[in-house]
Amino acid sequence: MPQSHLPHESSVKPAASLRDLVRDHDLHGILEWLETHPPHVIADELGRMDAVDAGVAFRLLDKDRALAVFEELEPVDQQQILQGLRDRSFLELVEGMDPDDRARMLREAPAKVAHRVLAGLSPNERRMTSALLGYPEGSVGRYMTPEVVALPQDLTVEQALRTVREKGPDAETVYTLPVVDAGRRLTGVVELRELVLNEPGTLVAELVVTEPASAYATDSAEDAARLMRETNDLNLPVVDSEDRLVGLFTIDDAVEVIEAADTEDVARQSGAAPWAGHYMAASVWQLARYRALWLSLLLVAATLTVGVTRAFEATLEQVASLALFIPMLIGAGGNAGAQAATACVRALAVGEVRGSDLLKVIWRECRVGLVLGALLAALGLVVGTVFVDAKIALVVGITLVLICGWAATIGGTMPLLARRLRIDPAVVSAPMVTTLVDATGLILYFLTAKAVLGV
């Protein structure tokens, strides 16, 4: 049988990372790595590196490629890169950015960096950037691009294509073309595809989609992004209070908005503060700092459980075997509450549930919890009978039904109440619900034991 010519696993040398090449001062290797990787991969690798190493690699990129990579970076990483650039390179970079990307960076930049960026821009770029920054924090106006090719409604296809060729180079996108009247009020949209596929003499008014999905500049960027997901639009027209076109919300920005919102929700649900930047570039101290506050608050809240146990100390002394099932019961209740809270936060985020659905959610989650509790109670009866006796098993079974119904109700209710109070629903989700259910679940357990056992 002929031998294979494939190299043995141990003889295959793994490709060096950009960070290793920078630390080895391998200039040829760095240049080759940067040449052979696309901008988004380079940006991801820079995000994993410390500020000094990332700055060294970034300065080796040519002008056009540097801009493409820079726009892929997170704002916190962009600021680190800018701080290491000389004035000329700094100005070329920020001037070449799209206004919405520049505004995104400046939202989180220190005042010193923001002033330096704005001072170095040309009057037109400064005007567009300042206009975006003038919209409320978190609004779609902060994320839209003002560089739009808008078509008058009385053009022919031939005239419209000529307009696209003239103004297109300065626009961020030309795939969706808003159609406006003489007062720049939005009357519809037409896709570039329709212009290309129709006869030159056809009127744009015959191809326009009237009453398209759109958003006001002051609307939530997250709501606008989720609207785009529902309508499958690549770009969403953005208008002012008088329905005049002010920009387009593009799909790449919409994806980033949803990703940022989901990342924040996941952090909140796990009992941590969300952080900016790449996880691999964050220090151990930074990660610990973001989690410490919430763990401390939850630890303080958990003292409720200690207080409840102490209040029923006499009951435990009479029936010591009740203590055996405390971890199982509070664990089941906490998990049931966390499941309900997570489901409700997700339903709120995607618009499946509204604040007005509070009573419906309470009724639904209560029934779901009771069904789950009944299933777990069947298992609890078996476990209780095997380890102790039938009476204790009955207490455990009844408590499981009560605690799961209560936990699911609380878990489904708290995010909706938080939304009504203008608090992020994710903040009061899984960890907080679990802590609350632990304490109240013990109360249900001991009260049930008193009723069944007569202690």
Side-chain angles (χ1 to χ4, degrees):
M1 187 174 180
Q3 293 185 348
S4 170
H5 294 287
L6 292 174
H8 191 270
E9 278 189 24
S10 61
S11 67
V12 177
K13 185 179 179 180
S17 68
L18 181 59
R19 175 167 44 188
D20 293 336
L21 293 171
V22 171
R23 291 180 176 177
D24 292 341
H25 306 290
D26 184 354
L27 180 60
H28 177 74
I30 297 171
L31 291 172
E32 184 178 359
W33 195 98
L34 294 174
E35 283 264 334
T36 55
H37 289 79
H40 71 278
V41 174
I42 299 175
D44 181 71
E45 193 70 14
L46 292 177
R48 294 169 175 266
M49 300 160 63
D50 61 46
V52 175
D53 290 346
V56 169
F58 185 83
R59 283 192 287 271
L60 293 174
L61 292 164
D62 62 67
K63 179 181 175 182
D64 293 336
R65 198 163 175 78
L67 179 59
V69 170
F70 190 78
E71 290 188 336
E72 294 286 346
L73 290 169
E74 292 295 320
V76 64
D77 299 321
Q78 290 176 334
Q79 294 162 29
Q80 290 181 347
I81 294 294
L82 285 178
Q83 289 172 358
L85 295 180
R86 295 179 180 177
D87 285 345
R88 182 177 178 182
S89 300
F90 179 100
L91 295 177
E92 288 179 348
L93 196 60
V94 297
E95 181 74 19
M97 294 178 70
D98 290 326
D100 54 322
D101 292 328
R102 191 186 301 121
R104 182 186 67 142
M105 178 189 69
L106 293 179
R107 279 198 309 273
E108 303 171 21
K112 185 178 179 180
V113 175
H115 177 74
R116 187 182 175 199
V117 169
L118 291 173
L121 294 174
S122 63
N124 185 52
E125 293 292 334
R126 188 186 306 119
R127 177 185 57 77
M128 287 190 291
T129 304
S130 298
L132 296 183
L133 292 172
Y135 290 107
E137 183 69 31
S139 67
V140 69
R142 286 280 187 109
Y143 292 86
M144 70 181 183
T145 174
E147 297 177 311
V148 181
V149 178
L151 301 176
Q153 56 187 353
D154 57 352
L155 295 183
T156 64
V157 165
E158 183 179 10
Q159 292 170 326
L161 288 173
R162 189 182 305 124
T163 302
V164 172
R165 294 188 192 99
E166 292 173 356
K167 300 181 178 179
D170 296 326
E172 183 172 334
T173 179
V174 295
Y175 299 113
T176 301
L177 301 164
V179 179
V180 296
D181 62 15
R184 203 173 169 75
R185 284 184 291 271
L186 181 70
T187 60
V189 297
V190 63
E191 300 295 329
L192 179 62
R193 178 178 184 273
E194 295 298 323
L195 299 182
V196 173
L197 295 180
N198 277 276
E199 295 297 324
T202 305
L203 290 174
V204 170
E206 298 176 16
L207 307 175
V208 69
V209 176
T210 57
E211 299 183 4
S214 63
Y216 288 107
T218 53
D219 287 348
S220 161
E222 184 180 349
D223 290 343
R226 298 197 186 281
L227 174 61
M228 290 178 69
R229 186 174 65 179
E230 293 173 7
T231 58
N232 296 319
D233 288 328
L234 288 176
N235 303 284
L236 188 72
V238 181
V239 298
D240 63 14
S241 58
E242 297 179 0
D243 291 328
R244 290 178 301 205
L245 180 71
V246 291
L248 277 180
F249 187 38
T250 56
I251 187 64
D252 56 325
D253 291 323
V255 169
E256 288 187 3
V257 167
I258 291 178
E259 181 183 358
D262 290 347
T263 299
E264 181 177 349
D265 285 348
V266 168
R268 300 289 190 195
Q269 287 172 345
S270 62
W275 67 88
H278 203 293
Y279 170 83
M280 295 303 295
S283 67
V284 171
W285 169 246
Q286 284 177 311
L287 293 177
R289 179 164 56 88
Y290 283 118
R291 300 175 188 177
L293 176 61
W294 280 101
L295 284 178
S296 301
L297 292 174
L298 292 173
L299 181 64
V300 172
T303 57
L304 291 172
T305 304
V306 178
V308 171
T309 305
R310 185 174 180 179
F312 289 93
E313 190 174 358
T315 304
L316 281 174
E317 288 178 354
Q318 293 182 54
V319 188
S321 56
L322 287 173
L324 296 174
F325 299 95
I326 288 177
M328 182 181 75
L329 291 171
I330 64 176
N335 290 334
Q339 287 177 337
T342 301
C344 192
V345 169
R346 185 260 176 195
L348 277 170
V350 300
E352 295 176 355
V353 169
R354 303 183 183 92
S356 58
D357 295 324
L358 178 61
L359 294 179
K360 293 179 181 178
V361 170
I362 291 175
W363 176 232
R364 173 183 289 267
E365 287 296 339
C366 179
R367 288 180 294 162
V368 171
L370 291 174
V371 170
L372 292 173
L375 293 174
L376 295 180
L379 296 174
L381 286 171
V382 175
V383 174
T385 303
V386 170
F387 283 93
V388 189
D389 57 43
K391 281 192 173 182
I392 298 296
L394 181 60
V395 172
V396 171
I398 294 173
T399 304
L400 279 169
V401 175
L402 296 175
I403 206 171
C404 286
W406 169 244
T409 303
I410 290 295
T413 302
M414 287 186 70
L416 285 167
L417 292 176
R419 173 63 65 86
R420 285 193 172 188
L421 296 173
R422 300 185 182 279
I423 300 173
D424 185 350
V427 173
V428 294
S429 59
M432 192 63 72
V433 169
T434 300
T435 304
L436 177 61
V437 169
D438 286 351
T440 54
L442 283 180
I443 294 175
L444 291 174
Y445 182 38
F446 291 127
L447 290 177
T448 302
K450 280 192 168 189
V452 174
L453 303 177
V455 295

